Amino acid sequence: MTAYLARRVLQALVVLVVVTLIVYALLTRVPGSALGAVLGPHAASGFLPRYFSWLNQVLHGNLGFSLLHNEPVSTLLAASLPRTVALTGTAVLLALIVAIPVGMLQAVNKNKLVDHVLRALTLLCYGTPSFVLGSVLILVFAVKLKWFGGEGPQAPGFVGVITDWRDLTLPVLTLALLTIALFSRYLRSSAIDSLAQDYVRTARAKGAGERRVLRRHVLRNSLLPVVTLIGLTVPQILAGAVVVESIFNFQGMGYQLWYAAENHDFPVVLGFTLVIGVGVVAGSLLADVGYALLDPRVRYAGR
């Protein structure tokens, strides 16, 4: 397990360096960048020394200085990151709570009416753009019914966001509905495969109840691809958070990144992109480790 983990960490570090190199190169050459304006046609020269200088500053905790907010990027990050973690974490948790029983119900009732109805509903949510879904939820539940607030929580910090459930509900629901379909589809497919395995037939032949078979044999093995999927969908969830935070005026990382990109505040774009890249790589790494813990065959196959 140690060797497997070491290989995955090394691969993650290489990927992260490549990501930072590409992002730094793009922002150096993008029209309107401060660096490009200063250096002009010579912006491409001395690229690697500048990149390594920036990377050295990052390793020492210096992400740069915001041109718009007139404060360190790390200060903006410290204020916005907990808010985005609260939003995305709650959305993923809600998606799992709903997707697991939905996927199992579809698998048990394969090609029956309930399966077709649930599949249609989840695909509808998955295929609807987040800005359309969020706008519809605001119109129905905030404007018409007045059950929830029309914008995200404005209180600072993780706790402030989590405790303001009335304003948090619609942003979380918008982000969760986009993820439920993906999780439930994978779980349905995996559960259908598990139901056809010999160990399930053996358990039933020994007189095990249906609930026991589903819980102890089918569900446990069917969750393996979902564990991997959680890590691999981090980019999609974060991309959705950018749009959702903008719709609901929720000032997390996505909102700050969008605002900085619109106003050419490239130190913020670069710093926040780096943090998001770390999150994506970490999510993929955790997915690999989680899969290896649940299925030891993965560790030995990689040797």
Side-chain angles (χ1 to χ4, degrees), residues 177-234:
L177 286 174
L178 302 173
T179 313
I180 288 171
L182 190 62
F183 288 170
S184 62
R185 268 188 92 183
Y186 272 79
L187 186 61
R188 174 188 180 274
S189 178
S190 181
I192 288 174
D193 290 339
S194 297
L195 285 168
Q197 298 301 314
D198 291 337
Y199 60 82
V200 173
R201 288 193 288 267
T202 301
R204 285 171 172 166
K206 289 181 177 180
E210 189 67 14
R211 288 187 178 182
R212 181 182 177 87
V213 171
L214 292 176
R215 185 178 65 253
R216 297 197 60 180
H217 299 282
V218 178
L219 179 59
R220 180 177 179 180
N221 290 282
S222 301
L223 285 176
L224 288 175
V226 178
V227 170
T228 303
L229 188 64
I230 294 174
L232 297 179
T233 52
V234 169

Side-chain angles (χ1 to χ4, degrees), residues 1-297:
M1 183 62 180
T2 303
Y4 174 84
L5 182 59
R7 286 197 305 272
R8 289 296 182 266
V9 170
L10 181 59
Q11 292 170 2
L13 290 175
V14 172
V15 170
L16 191 58
V17 170
V18 172
V19 168
T20 61
L21 189 60
I22 293 173
V23 172
Y24 189 85
L26 290 175
L27 290 181
T28 300
R29 302 299 298 169
V30 71
S33 68
L35 186 58
V38 172
L39 298 179
H42 304 290
S45 63
F47 169 76
L48 286 179
R50 293 199 312 274
Y51 166 75
F52 284 116
S53 176
W54 170 80
L55 189 60
N56 180 62
Q57 292 295 320
V58 168
L59 294 176
H60 286 84
N62 181 12
L63 295 176
F65 204 82
S66 171
L67 305 176
L68 287 174
H69 299 277
N70 196 31
E71 61 181 343
V73 174
S74 56
T75 301
L76 286 174
L77 182 65
S80 58
L81 178 58
R83 297 172 60 81
T84 295
V85 170
L87 172 63
T88 56
T90 307
V92 171
L93 181 61
L94 177 61
L96 286 173
I97 291 174
V98 176
I100 290 175
V102 166
M104 291 296 295
L105 184 61
Q106 288 182 268
V108 173
N109 296 278
K110 178 185 175 183
N111 293 330
K112 295 182 180 179
L113 178 61
V114 64
D115 182 27
H116 293 309
V117 171
L118 290 175
R119 195 187 311 180
L121 290 174
T122 54
L123 285 177
L124 178 63
C125 292
Y126 184 72
T128 304
S130 54
F131 69 89
V132 174
L133 185 58
S135 300
V136 170
L137 292 178
I138 291 173
L139 179 63
V140 175
F141 294 104
V143 178
K144 297 293 185 182
L145 299 177
K146 301 187 186 302
W147 289 357
F148 307 108
E151 64 177 8
Q154 301 302 309
F158 182 90
V159 176
V161 171
I162 291 296
T163 53
D164 189 359
W165 63 268
R166 188 175 184 275
D167 289 338
L168 181 64
T169 299
L170 293 186
V172 166
L173 194 58
T174 302
L175 201 55
L177 286 174
L178 302 173
T179 313
I180 288 171
L182 190 62
F183 288 170
S184 62
R185 268 188 92 183
Y186 272 79
L187 186 61
R188 174 188 180 274
S189 178
S190 181
I192 288 174
D193 290 339
S194 297
L195 285 168
Q197 298 301 314
D198 291 337
Y199 60 82
V200 173
R201 288 193 288 267
T202 301
R204 285 171 172 166
K206 289 181 177 180
E210 189 67 14
R211 288 187 178 182
R212 181 182 177 87
V213 171
L214 292 176
R215 185 178 65 253
R216 297 197 60 180
H217 299 282
V218 178
L219 179 59
R220 180 177 179 180
N221 290 282
S222 301
L223 285 176
L224 288 175
V226 178
V227 170
T228 303
L229 188 64
I230 294 174
L232 297 179
T233 52
V234 169
Q236 178 180 344
I237 294 171
L238 290 175
V242 172
V243 179
V244 170
E245 289 182 7
S246 300
I247 293 173
F248 289 93
N249 190 32
F250 183 88
Q251 297 190 22
M253 283 187 62
Y255 179 92
Q256 295 291 354
L257 182 60
W258 184 291
Y259 184 77
E262 281 188 328
N263 293 276
H264 292 183
D265 192 356
F266 291 109
V268 174
V269 174
L270 189 57
F272 277 42
T273 303
L274 172 64
V275 173
I276 291 174
V278 170
V280 171
V281 172
S284 179
L285 178 62
L286 289 175
D288 288 341
V289 173
Y291 202 107
L293 290 173
L294 292 172
D295 189 353
R297 293 173 297 178

